[in-house]
Amino acid sequence: MDLSYGAEYEAFREEVRGFILANWSPAHARDTERVAAFRLQATEAGYLYRSIPRRFGGSEQPADVLRAQVIQEEFSRARAPMEVVGNGVRMLVPTLLECGAEWQKEKFVPPTVRGEVDWAQGYSEPGSGSDLASVRTRGELVGDEWVINGQKIWTSRAHLCRYMFALVRTEPEAPKHQGISYLLLDLDQPGVTIRPLKQVTGQSEFNEVFFDDARTPADWIVGQRGEGWQVSRSTLKHERTGIGNAETYLVQFSKLLGVARSATKNGRPAIEDPVVQDRLAEIEGYLQSHKYSTYRQLSMNLAGKDPGPVTTMNKLVVTNLGHQIAALAQDLIGDDSLLLPVYGRDRKVGNERWMNQFFGSLGVAIAGGTSNIQRNIIGERGYGLPRDNVVPGGKASPDRKGGDGS
Amino acid sequence: MNFDLSEEQTALQDSVGRFFQAELDQTRLLKIFDSDDGHDAQLWKALGDLGVLGLMIDERYGGTGLEMLDAAAVAEVLGYHAAPGPHLGQVLAALAIAQCDDDALKERWLPRLASGESIGTVALAEAGNAWQPNEWTLIKSSTLSGSKRNVLYAQHADIMVVGVAGGQLMLVEHPGESAEISELPGLDGTRRIDHVVFNDTPAVALNGSAGKLRDAACVLLAADAFGGARRCVDMAVDYALTREQFGQVIGAFQALKHQLANVAADIEPARGLYWYAAHAFDAVPEDAERMAALAKAHLAERFLNAAREATQAHGGIAYTWEYPLHVWLKRAVFDRMYLGETSVHRARVAQLSSWAEAS
């Protein structure tokens, strides 16, 4: 058992620390220009966009899980900006690099990684959530354009995004999974109506998007006609692995300790209360388990070994962690939880900001495959339990492989 | 970074697992569980021959000279198979003797403990759930008087390490000759417990840390609990894949599938928790006590939960004595209560973490 990263990686860690120290201060966090400039520097130095070729705006580094881990640890610790957050970088870029045409990579990847354009993910529809492959939004090739009609929903930040990548049914006669194409489109056009949905938080982060003869060029398709389902698989995979990160929850837990120190119970700091300590220690048990579970998965990946069923559990595990942290935080902040947290970076926010974490934890339980879908995946892929019954005939395709619609 | 068992450790786990697969079928397990003394001398000797009893004993005393991580990896396998017998006390007694500086004692006892020829145990708990070293009240003296509860296999023990006031340790040789030992009607038939009354019982002081002994016990219980919990999941999954109702195997029903997924996700990630606790015991002294307490608290809870859920998943068959799931259910209760219940260890975690100090 060797938990050290070894001399080579510790030297690398020093290098990363030195870089951050020289180029970043948390005081710059709200200065978008400085953030963008820092990202460029960090990319130049080989720390960000490591798997993206230089000609597309990446740093084109050899795959090295440990270096990536060190970078993530050091950037998180210093609260330095990492890659642009959003569906563009997280989902579309890897998809384009894997399946896109050369011109598509040239046109779309560089501005996306620079954070100049953002992408909405046009997947879910009112009738297609967990059963994503049942999408009904239609695309017809008319001349040299796709003409799109239908509706998407839960499209995060669509009202702020320039483009969308979407699953669209272009082959209505084909079986469910073979009738979908992966199209790119400009949201800034008359055929597209975006209606923000007001969320439980009171904020509007996601939207309904209506297509009424919306148009996109014939060659704005990734992969071939009818291959959209397979093309989209790589992005879903990215979304699922992206959420299973212990660092986020280690930081959340240390903030929770901060609340427990400042809150009082029976006239004493809540952190000294035996019940609070017991609950903190319970969460710590899950948190440290997940931390060492990720170390183990990392080590086994490095050695080319299969970590087993645990890889199917990461999302459910962090969902549960977020839920436990939210529950204790609410008890610690007491009646501050009756307040609606105000948004906007310049407003003064009190303890009720933990209600954002509470609502966020509910969002994590849904986004990227609900917890019940995760349980299907664990049972079916992890432990070989029979797949859920799929209604035969109709739109259900006989090649359906799992309860998650893959 | 290599946070994984070594090839040798994995091979060790495999060989011990194969041994139990071959030697301890359900019939034999239940027979030992139901026997008068919960000790199968033949199985015990075989375990000694296999080297399982002397893993942490120095090679010069006939052991294998390995570390806690190796012993814990094996303890996981013991838990998985609900291995019955006195090995927990054996390993702890050997540790207590190994960490003292009395070479004559080591020469006398360690080789016999490694082979299994002698049986060792530890007497920790006193009345009132007093398991922790700072709660022990027996007066340290050349003879001991007073009583200890829940002593593993005291009736079989050739030596007994006894916790005394001030969190110190003493050794009683041949306790059967000098102490009054009576069997307690224990719940877990795979780990028998006795009540021991000392009455001017001759004892010698063992220098060395009682805290370290407690940490070792915590890690071994955590590893046992992980193995046991994994077995509960495996048994429930097997059952879900064979039992049919409404014309299909019950594992096809989402209610059961999700229940099993929840249990699996509850325990499977915790493998590294006991690994790291064991590793800290061996190599990271500043983390050792806290991680041992955390692993014991967390995994003992997980095991009991897994055993409960597995019982529920099986239905009526699990509620019978004949079907062996109850062996793990009772083992889970043991792992959780032995050395103090979960809240005791969570309170220690809180204290050892210095959470109250602003970071």
Side-chain angles (χ1 to χ4, degrees):
Chain A
M1 188 139 301
D2 178 13
L3 277 169
S4 74
Y5 285 71
E8 179 196 342
Y9 291 99
E10 290 310 326
F12 179 68
R13 184 189 298 282
E14 285 310 310
E15 180 198 311
V16 175
R17 276 190 189 159
F19 170 84
I20 297 173
L21 207 62
N23 296 294
W24 177 250
S25 151
H28 301 158
R30 291 173 189 185
D31 183 337
T32 46
E33 274 176 34
R34 291 190 103 133
V35 169
F38 175 78
R39 282 198 177 107
L40 276 180
Q41 277 180 301
T43 305
E44 196 56 39
Y47 302 147
L48 301 183
Y49 303 119
R50 293 167 53 81
S51 58
I52 299 175
R54 285 202 179 264
R55 67 183 191 282
F56 301 135
S59 62
E60 200 171 341
Q61 298 294 311
D64 186 332
V65 187
L66 283 186
R67 282 192 176 227
Q69 183 79 12
V70 168
I71 292 164
Q72 180 164 29
E73 285 173 8
E74 292 308 319
F75 275 62
S76 305
R77 206 163 288 158
R79 301 201 184 157
M82 296 199 62
E83 296 171 5
V84 168
V85 178
N87 289 318
V89 166
R90 202 179 59 204
M91 303 179 75
L92 176 73
V93 167
T95 304
L96 280 183
L97 291 174
E98 206 166 307
C99 314
E102 203 59 20
W103 75 265
Q104 291 171 338
K105 298 178 195 174
E106 281 165 19
K107 179 176 169 63
F108 296 121
V109 176
T112 303
V113 300
R114 287 196 300 266
E116 291 162 11
V117 293
D118 203 355
W119 292 78
Q121 177 201 45
Y123 282 12
S124 296
E125 296 183 7
S128 304
S130 297
D131 182 12
L132 187 56
S134 67
V135 288
R136 287 192 296 190
T137 293
R138 294 271 309 262
E140 266 181 287
L141 197 55
V142 179
D144 55 1
E145 281 184 326
W146 294 101
V147 179
I148 302 166
N149 285 283
Q151 183 197 345
K152 295 291 176 181
I153 195 167
W154 318 128
T155 27
S156 299
R157 304 183 71 255
H159 57 309
L160 305 172
C161 291
R162 172 71 192 273
Y163 298 114
M164 171 182 274
F165 53 95
L167 293 179
V168 176
R169 190 160 299 281
T170 55
E171 327 298 316
E173 306 307 320
K176 185 173 170 181
H177 290 77
Q178 277 113 59
I180 300 169
S181 294
Y182 191 106
L183 299 185
L184 311 177
L185 67 144
D186 195 329
L187 289 173
D188 185 14
Q189 59 168 301
V192 174
T193 310
I194 297 171
R195 185 190 295 162
L197 285 161
K198 192 170 176 180
Q199 298 166 203
V200 285
T201 56
Q203 292 296 106
S204 293
E205 201 180 22
F206 45 54
N207 303 269
E208 293 177 289
V209 180
F210 299 90
F211 305 109
D212 186 13
D213 285 342
R215 284 158 197 278
T216 199
D219 60 354
W220 283 35
I221 180 173
V222 182
Q224 301 299 309
R225 287 179 71 143
E227 284 182 3
W229 185 250
Q230 291 91 310
V231 170
S232 74
R233 292 291 80 190
S234 55
T235 47
L236 263 194
K237 196 177 90 197
H238 276 90
E239 186 169 10
R240 271 184 194 138
T241 51
I243 297 175
N245 169 8
E247 203 65 34
T248 310
Y249 293 87
L250 289 165
V251 171
Q252 245 179 46
F253 186 74
S254 76
K255 289 182 182 164
L256 184 68
L257 291 174
V259 192
R261 279 192 290 267
S262 59
T264 55
K265 250 190 158 79
N266 305 318
R268 303 278 311 152
I271 193 93
E272 294 173 15
D273 181 77
V275 176
V276 171
Q277 291 187 345
D278 191 82
R279 289 175 69 185
L280 284 168
E282 180 179 10
I283 297 172
E284 177 80 332
Y286 281 106
L287 185 60
Q288 294 297 320
S289 292
H290 182 55
K291 176 175 143 187
Y292 290 105
S293 171
T294 59
Y295 284 4
R296 174 173 168 269
Q297 292 173 58
L298 182 66
S299 300
M300 295 190 79
N301 283 336
L302 281 169
K305 293 192 259 180
D306 176 13
V310 75
T311 53
T312 63
M313 300 170 185
N314 289 325
K315 181 167 185 235
L316 186 61
V317 167
V318 299
T319 299
N320 291 342
L321 265 173
H323 174 70
Q324 286 180 301
I325 290 172
L328 180 52
Q330 242 172 83
D331 287 355
L332 289 171
I333 67 173
D335 53 14
D336 283 348
S337 65
L338 293 173
L339 303 173
L340 183 69
V342 283
Y343 283 80
R345 286 178 160 169
D346 301 327
R347 313 244 190 128
K348 192 167 160 30
V349 191
N351 271 336
E352 70 272 17
R353 70 182 178 280
W354 280 92
M355 299 313 289
N356 289 333
Q357 188 269 335
F358 165 68
F359 288 118
S361 73
L362 287 160
V364 168
I366 299 167
T370 64
S371 289
N372 278 338
I373 289 293
Q374 301 304 320
R375 293 182 183 103
N376 270 14
I377 295 172
I378 295 167
E380 294 167 11
R381 290 196 209 151
Y383 289 88
L385 294 173
R387 299 197 299 267
D388 272 8
N389 281 333
V390 175
V391 179
K395 289 205 173 73
S397 148
D399 70 348
R400 190 184 154 96
K401 287 204 186 69
D404 63 325
S406 64
Chain B
M1 154 91 54
N2 183 16
F3 187 71
D4 195 1
L5 297 182
S6 67
E7 276 175 40
E8 291 80 7
Q9 286 159 340
T10 307
L12 179 63
Q13 279 192 323
D14 289 348
S15 79
V16 178
R18 275 195 306 274
F19 168 81
F20 281 111
Q21 208 130 36
E23 297 298 326
L24 190 69
D25 61 9
Q26 292 188 4
T27 313
R28 189 170 184 190
L29 174 62
L30 278 176
K31 198 175 150 219
I32 301 170
F33 190 94
D34 288 334
S35 68
D36 286 341
D37 66 355
H39 177 54
D40 181 322
Q42 210 190 340
L43 187 72
W44 183 250
K45 183 175 184 313
L47 279 179
D49 293 345
L50 199 62
V52 164
L53 304 177
L55 286 174
M56 293 179 75
I57 293 175
D58 200 285
E59 282 167 296
R60 98 189 103 135
Y61 299 118
T64 326
L66 295 173
E67 296 191 289
M68 179 55 84
L69 183 56
D70 308 274
V74 168
E76 179 195 332
V77 182
L78 298 178
Y80 188 85
H81 293 279
H87 30 71
L88 178 60
Q90 185 90 350
V91 174
L92 295 174
L95 258 177
I97 291 174
Q99 71 176 4
C100 85
D101 58 11
D102 186 334
D103 288 339
L105 272 184
K106 293 185 196 177
E107 271 161 37
R108 183 149 75 244
W109 290 111
L110 290 180
R112 292 153 170 256
L113 291 174
S115 68
E117 188 189 338
S118 294
I119 289 177
T121 190
V122 289
L124 307 176
E126 296 178 15
N129 243 337
W131 290 89
Q132 308 309 314
N134 62 357
E135 298 174 303
W136 297 335
T137 62
L138 262 62
I139 306 295
K140 183 180 177 183
S141 155
S142 58
T143 60
L144 287 175
S145 291
S147 67
K148 288 282 184 181
R149 295 154 63 88
N150 307 325
V151 181
L152 288 159
Y153 291 85
Q155 300 199 42
H156 294 81
D158 299 295
I159 55 163
M160 183 181 290
V161 173
V162 184
V164 297
Q168 301 197 55
L169 301 173
M170 298 200 75
L171 181 72
V172 173
E173 296 174 279
H174 309 294
E177 296 166 9
S178 53
E180 201 181 302
I181 298 171
S182 51
E183 186 187 335
L184 291 168
L187 183 78
D188 177 6
T190 65
R191 280 162 313 172
R192 301 302 175 93
I193 45 174
D194 298 313
H195 187 69
V196 179
V197 179
F198 302 105
N199 197 352
D200 285 332
T201 303
V204 293
L206 281 180
N207 61 333
S209 158
K212 185 133 198 209
L213 194 66
R214 187 239 332 252
D215 295 346
C218 282
V219 173
L220 291 168
L221 287 164
D224 184 90
F226 179 74
R230 221 160 47 75
R231 181 60 173 270
C232 289
V233 172
D234 284 358
M235 285 175 84
V237 167
D238 283 349
Y239 192 72
L241 285 170
T242 45
R243 166 83 173 165
E244 290 187 17
Q245 288 286 274
F246 304 103
Q248 57 182 333
V249 296
I250 58 174
F253 295 110
Q254 237 179 21
L256 186 57
K257 188 188 293 181
H258 285 194
Q259 186 190 13
L260 297 178
N262 282 335
V263 184
D266 199 41
I267 64 139
E268 188 58 31
R271 184 190 303 264
L273 185 65
Y274 97 71
W275 284 1
Y276 183 70
H279 174 67
F281 184 93
D282 293 328
V284 196
E286 67 275 18
D287 255 2
E289 186 177 355
R290 181 182 112 86
M291 290 309 293
L294 186 65
K296 149 76 164 129
H298 187 73
L299 276 159
E301 283 300 310
R302 305 282 71 75
F303 184 15
L304 186 55
N305 181 56
R308 284 191 69 116
E309 296 292 326
T311 303
Q312 174 67 34
H314 278 79
I317 187 76
Y319 208 71
T320 66
W321 195 275
E322 184 189 349
Y323 190 81
L325 184 61
H326 70 95
V327 173
W328 280 269
L329 181 64
K330 292 162 184 171
R331 203 165 165 108
V333 173
F334 181 99
D335 284 353
R336 186 172 174 277
M337 289 312 301
Y338 187 85
L339 219 60
E341 77 277 14
T342 301
S343 64
V344 170
H345 296 284
R346 287 195 177 143
R348 292 176 53 227
V349 169
Q351 200 152 34
L352 293 162
S353 301
S354 318
W355 282 335
E357 295 153 30
S359 51

